[in-house]
Amino acid sequence: MYPKVNDVLFIQLPSEGEKEAHFEYRSRIAETEENDIYMEVPIHEGSGHLKKLHMGDELSIYFITEGGVKHFFNTYVTGFKEDVIRMVKIRRPSLEEIFQVQRRNFLRVQAKLELAVKFQHDFTRFVTYTENVGGGGVSFLGDVKHAVQEGQVLSCWLLIHYKNGEMEHVPFEGVVVRSITLESGRKKAMVEFTQITDMERQKIIKYCFERQLDFRGR
């Protein structure tokens, strides 16, 4: 589904550094064309200050449709337009670039991704690999010497490799909702996200859609 005129856009700017990437701005679509979207100058959610954008700025955007379904896409600034109000022109994504996500039904895929884990109660650290990942959480195998228990709170960093060669580090906090002891003695832990920004979640969702397209193409 494409965003339409008067839809509210929620915007983050990953290209401006880690600190800026956590800020969220709000805008509204004023006009649409075949290849472009014109939106109002974004406003910071907390302070109400206008955000000055520049040509080429990368934007991570989502809009919400009925039923609370979020639609994510990435784009960039392609120009500006002076009318009754100043508008920012951004590239209109293709339908394949818009990821539809309903919080209660996040896509999950099998994936072996590097995961750094830290226990919050005693600061134990180790690196392992995921078995599957999704917009709502991950599962991974813990080492025999690192006992992962249900209810445990973890701080993690997930390393994602995209098809175009780009890499992303995704930080999050999660709680172990299930822990299974395998025949090998290792623990399989299923972790649900408890603290993760929408922008970081979007990175995982983007990876999941890439993997799903790979599976369909086989």
Side-chain angles (χ1 to χ4, degrees), residues 4 6 19 21 24 35 47 54 69 87 92-94 97 112 123 152 157 175 184 190-191 194 202 210:
K4 57 187 182 300
N6 289 325
K19 183 177 180 181
E24 186 168 88
N35 298 313
S47 66
H54 304 87
V69 180
M87 292 184 286
R92 186 187 188 196
S94 66
E97 294 175 300
K112 187 177 181 180
F123 303 107
Q152 214 167 11
W157 285 81
V175 61
S184 63
M190 280 145 275
V191 178
T194 54
Q202 182 182 352
E210 281 192 358

Side-chain angles (χ1 to χ4, degrees), residues 52-68:
K52 185 177 181 180
L53 297 176
H54 304 87
M55 287 283 291
D57 278 348
E58 296 178 10
L59 310 176
S60 293
I61 296 178
Y62 70 87
F63 60 100
I64 304 173
T65 55
E66 292 182 10

